[in-house]
Amino acid sequence: MLYQVPFWIIQTICGVQTVPVAAQSAIANQRWDLMLQNQSGSQEVRKKNIDFGNSVLYAWSLFKEFAGEKMLEKNFDPKSFGKNFSFAAEASHRNEKAEPFMVLLPPPNVTGSLHVGHALCYTLQDIIVRYKRLKGCNVLFQPGLDHAGIVTQLLVEKQLYEKNGEKSSLGREELLREIWLWKENSGGKILEQMKVLGISCDFSRLRFTMDDGSKKAVSRLFVKLYNDGLLYRGERMVNWDPLIQSAISDLEVVEKEVNAKIWYLKYKLENSEEFITVATTRPETLFGDVAVAVNSRDDRYVDLIGKNVLVPLINKPVPIIADDYADPEKGTGAVKITPAHDFNDFEVGKKHGLPLVNIMNERAELEGEVPEQFRNLDRFKAREAVIDQLEIKGLLEKVETIMHKVPFGDRSGVMLEPRITCQWFIDAAKLAIPAVKAVKENRITFIPKHWENLFFEWMKNIKPWCISRQIWWGHRIPAWYGPNGQIFVAETAEEALQKASAFYGKDDVELVQDNDVLDTWYSSAMWPFITLGWPDVEAEFSKFYSRMTVVTGFDIIFFWIARMIMMGIYAAGDVPFHNVYIHALVRDEKGQKMSKSKGNVIDPLQLCDAYGADAVRYTLASMASPGRDIKMGARTVEIGRNFLTKLWNAVRFAQMNDCACCSKNFDVNTVKNPFSQWIVHNIKNMVIDVENSIENHRFDEVTRHIYQCVWNSFCDWYMEFIKPILQSGSEISDANSSAALRKKEIRDVTGWAIAQFVQILYMIAPFMAKKLSEEIGIADITWPNVGAITLDCSDSVEKIDRIQSVISSVRSLRQFLGIFSAEKLDAKIETANNAFRELCDEYKDILQRMAGISAVRDLDAQSIPVVVADVVVHIGFAGKIDVPTEKKRLSNEMKKLIKNRDDAINRLNNKDFLQKADPDIVQEHQERVNNLNDKINKIDYIIRNLANYYADSIAETVA
RNA sequence: GGGCGCAUAGCUCAGCGGUAGAGCACUACGUUGACAUCGUAGUGGUCGUAGGUUCGAUCCCUGCUGCGCCCACCA
């Protein structure tokens, strides 16, 4: 069946008859074909089989099309335009004269891909950055990649293994070439993913922590530290990772609780048949035993101190020593001392001048002073073998099962070994002193503040930082060794050679560079320097250094933040940044940590695909409350999606009514209409609130203020208020009539409001904001200049708020009484308050439209009194009221009011309250009591006279 | 063992010395007028527990309970 779009609809919307489309009667649920007829009368089918609502919209958009305008699509699809925008221009454009500002982006691992934690971190940074740009600052937001030494080397080695089916036998140079190749081909995928999320860093300034500039910065600082005696090489016990075969720092150790066994071993006393029993979880290390320690106050063993025991299986005599380290409460009270394989034993050994007996190689296989049968066995195989032998020899007293915490490497996942090796260390304790001072003096502030406790705690107990790693992928340590082992630390090989030549007094010195590379976090600690081109680019460094903000997770406060502060103060004499915003951890909807093994990982890119990047950004920001982790399920993003759809549709409405953008010479300070003033006031407050919230890093508040203004104020009320004005078309012929001027102002204000929303949303939902700004023609997106709004809106605000409460009260009453919106009601306004009566008269169109009141006029009877603010509105009911229901409603309302009033009265009767409370508070209470009493009296009067009001109704009920 | 955080509506969370809030969910009603990814109205809370400070405590202090996290130790 072929129908044509009813013309009256277009006429209503446009107010003018331009497109000659014939009208037919509208039938709900009917399918329609939309036909157009041009001036010459020929017809054209433009849309087939559409529903009626769509036919109207299509007709309207076609009309616009004729007029040369493009309309927003009806069905908002946030992802349709997301990928079409690049923010490169904004990101790289900088106003060098403006106030410098920088967000220091934590460089993601070159192997990394975007997870939801990144998404949160980068989104918050991007919001700050875009805000500062809109405010006109000279903003630098620089991306980078971290070479991630151990992770990357392990990854490439694994890939080579999978390709070749055997462990790579490549030498250093070959492997490094492979890794660089991998980096060029497959590394840094995350950068593209950041673009999907709309992160507006200046990708033209991408830095890599192993590029030449980084190398220079890293070496420069290394030399400085060495020359200042803050960096040294030495033999120490370190945490050794037998898989990576490298030392790792204390921070890279994760303790895991495991089911373990504890063995009770019998050590025979020398020249005696007696035994002393020692408990251990590491029996395989007994070959390295050099003593057994007991507590000098332990009566069981005090007589044995000074005697020797024989280490089982090798019968090596070792002394029984007295040391407080032996705790009578633990184990048997006697403990074996193995200084080369345990941190505590190392200390005890040092104290007592005991020898170090190393019995393990770098792969944690037994070697050295070990019987032949155990030699070259892996530590766990050796353990079994040792236990077997002890059992055979009757030296195993018993075995117990315990829960026991064991150190594992965070990257390799294997159990670590304490191992004595030669490593490079930074004297972190010295560097920590000014860093702690800076935070104590609030030159650096953590947000939320309580994270400073964590920082202080770690700094207080800071240990020397082992920075050398026995791997190949990383910054090679800039130290060279001469023939006699003399160390030459220099930025380059040439410099080292010069120093060596001078030292040895000859030119041709054979130097060997240190084989180790630096801890990845060493270069990370230098990130503020690397990004700004230190030490070469003085201008940028002096401009942005110490004007940074850092946004990051709490888990890298030690790894990164603390070290940047230490290095920054040391190398530059000043803190690199003043603010450290610590964001939340993103968990799954049950509050569990996301992990691949649990399978509860949410992929932010999938979310972007399903809901659009803007919705993801908005949602993450809205949940970024301080001090609480974010619980996020797949559907959580609907919050953002729905909000953005709402705004999108509001803009469509504005566009359809020719108010998508305000006139050029429009001055918001000249608006006169109360609706205009009301929304101007609301938007001004919103912008101020948003500014405050963002300065306080309260991203949740930022989104809430925007949401409330856009949705609750603008869409729910303002748009409904102005519809009658926009849709009134008849007066348009006289452009100077008051109605026409009013309509023009409303259009301008609406367009202005939309522009403010679009501009402010540019920081949170940049894709949509950009799309909308193009559609409605906002030339320059800047921060709304609400400081220029000097208009006094207070009268209008009071008026409109009043009208709002009338509408809400009437609507509420209707629902309660079951009088639904299709039915119009008569109403009268009680005359006692003339001002209010006039107000209702003035807004009778709105009351009619939004509260379903057909007329505001005096009614003599059959009206329901509704208490609104301090007046009573009478609504005609025409016999539809159930008196008991209405009585109940009023009684309930009165109960609440009485309770409130009595609470206030009780306070006012309290002498102490009157004396001690703030006079404003007392005044407020007094006013509240008066207001409530007024209302209560009115309701009471109504209840008592219900029968009079409803005489007819009661009669009907009785009949 | 030392430290930190959290506890508010069925759920997720704001708030905060002076009348307890939002979103989701739920209930009722509503689609030809920007939007059902929607609208209108509503149900729902002794603000974990016991004390203290205060004229007044959900809010500040202390104890307790529960949950989460960090550091250290563990023969």
Side-chain angles (χ1 to χ4, degrees), chain A residues 477-680:
Chain A
I477 288 180
W480 283 262
Y481 302 100
N484 63 344
Q486 178 67 33
I487 301 173
F488 301 98
V489 169
E491 285 189 46
T492 61
E494 292 74 42
E495 263 179 55
L497 192 62
Q498 276 175 18
K499 283 186 178 172
S501 301
F503 180 80
Y504 292 111
K506 57 176 183 176
D507 282 347
D508 56 336
V509 186
E510 187 98 353
L511 288 182
V512 181
Q513 189 174 3
D514 196 301
N515 271 320
D516 294 350
V517 301
L518 289 165
D519 181 4
T520 305
W521 290 106
Y522 180 94
S523 49
S524 306
M526 297 214 62
W527 191 235
F529 295 85
I530 291 170
T531 48
L532 293 171
W534 184 87
D536 291 334
V537 191
E538 181 51 38
E540 289 221 324
F541 186 76
S542 59
K543 196 172 234 172
F544 290 103
Y545 187 84
S546 95
R547 288 172 196 273
M548 304 179 192
T549 284
V550 190
V551 177
T552 191
F554 74 91
D555 49 334
I556 56 173
I557 290 178
F558 304 148
F559 278 112
W560 194 45
I561 298 295
R563 286 164 176 171
M564 278 196 295
I565 297 172
M566 290 192 289
M567 295 295 214
I569 295 174
Y570 169 68
D574 194 6
V575 295
F577 37 76
H578 295 292
N579 290 313
V580 181
Y581 177 82
I582 303 296
H583 68 241
L585 196 68
V586 185
R587 299 168 174 278
D588 75 359
E589 64 247 279
K590 290 173 201 146
Q592 289 188 316
K593 221 169 174 173
M594 289 188 193
S595 74
K596 277 180 194 158
S597 55
K598 280 187 210 152
N600 61 349
V601 174
I602 292 174
D603 178 0
L605 296 168
Q606 276 177 15
L607 292 179
C608 288
D609 209 39
Y611 297 99
D614 287 336
V616 174
R617 291 168 60 107
Y618 179 92
T619 305
L620 286 171
S622 73
M623 300 199 298
S625 304
R628 200 187 275 268
D629 287 345
I630 294 175
K631 286 182 199 161
M632 186 151 162
R635 285 190 60 216
T636 314
V637 187
E638 286 180 9
I639 299 170
R641 192 264 321 258
N642 292 356
F643 171 70
L644 295 174
T645 308
K646 187 75 178 175
L647 180 69
W648 176 270
N649 284 314
V651 178
R652 270 178 87 239
F653 168 83
Q655 205 178 32
M656 287 176 170
N657 289 288
D658 291 317
C659 44
C661 203
C662 58
S663 343
K664 273 188 191 128
N665 50 5
F666 170 71
D667 178 2
V668 74
N669 282 317
T670 64
V671 300
K672 293 185 181 64
N673 189 291
F675 297 136
S676 305
Q677 295 198 352
W678 182 81
I679 197 66
V680 166

Side-chain angles (χ1 to χ4, degrees), chain A residues 91 117 138 167 279 283 326 553 580 608 660 668 670 696 717 792 873 899 919 957:
Chain A
N138 177 17
K167 199 167 188 282
V580 181
C608 288
V668 74
T670 64
N696 295 327
W717 289 104
D792 178 14
V873 183
K899 190 193 172 292
T957 310

Side-chain angles (χ1 to χ4, degrees), chain A residues 12-15 653 657 659 672-676 717-732 738-750 800 842-843 845-846 849:
Chain A
T12 310
I13 301 169
C14 311
F653 168 83
N657 289 288
C659 44
K672 293 185 181 64
N673 189 291
F675 297 136
S676 305
W717 289 104
Y718 175 78
M719 282 172 69
E720 296 304 322
F721 285 147
I722 64 169
K723 273 175 183 171
I725 300 173
L726 291 175
Q727 288 165 8
S728 64
S730 52
E731 314 93 328
I732 209 90
S738 64
L741 289 174
R742 188 177 62 158
K743 185 166 176 176
K744 184 181 179 308
E745 182 192 295
I746 290 290
R747 279 182 167 164
D748 279 338
V749 169
T750 307
I800 303 300
E842 188 182 345
Y843 291 99
D845 290 350
I846 289 300
R849 190 186 175 95

Side-chain angles (χ1 to χ4, degrees), chain A residues 7 79 120 154 344 357 366 699-700 773 777 881:
Chain A
F7 174 67
K79 57 189 187 282
L120 172 69
L154 283 178
N344 290 312
V357 180
L366 266 55
F699 301 97
D700 58 331
S773 74
I881 299 308

Side-chain angles (χ1 to χ4, degrees), chain A residues 235-252:
Chain A
E235 196 155 80
R236 298 281 188 287
M237 179 166 274
V238 294
N239 283 296
W240 182 265
D241 189 313
L243 182 78
I244 299 167
Q245 292 174 37
S246 172
I248 60 172
S249 82
D250 300 345
L251 283 176
E252 291 159 288

Side-chain angles (χ1 to χ4, degrees), chain A residues 818-833:
Chain A
I819 304 170
F820 298 113
S821 53
E823 291 179 60
K824 296 295 174 200
L825 296 169
D826 284 350
K828 79 162 185 177
I829 306 303
E830 200 171 65
T831 49
N833 186 326

